[in-house]
Amino acid sequence: MKLTGLLASAAVVGGLTAGAIGLSATASAQPGWQPPPVPPAGPNTGQAPAWAPPQPVPPLWAQGNPQVWDEGWQHWGVWLNGVFIPTY
């Protein structure tokens, strides 16, 4: 009976010690995941650079709106009802 009590006490003390060590390790850990930088707020239309892919064929859903180059995201897109839709 004494051996059982001794083993139970050792298990409890060991568990508390392991918990304290884990808690102290967590408190001193380095910062975790950092969110990626925020992309540009909106399209910044301009001239396509020389390395840019050629302007794609206008999609049928563009309703005749011209495609423009977005300098922030570096791709082609169409303005439709005040919303910029990338067409790559």
Side-chain angles (χ1 to χ4, degrees), residues 7-25:
L7 290 176
S9 298
V12 169
V13 169
L16 290 174
T17 304
I21 290 171
L23 183 61
S24 67

Side-chain angles (χ1 to χ4, degrees), residues 33-39:
W33 178 79
Q34 297 292 327
V38 178

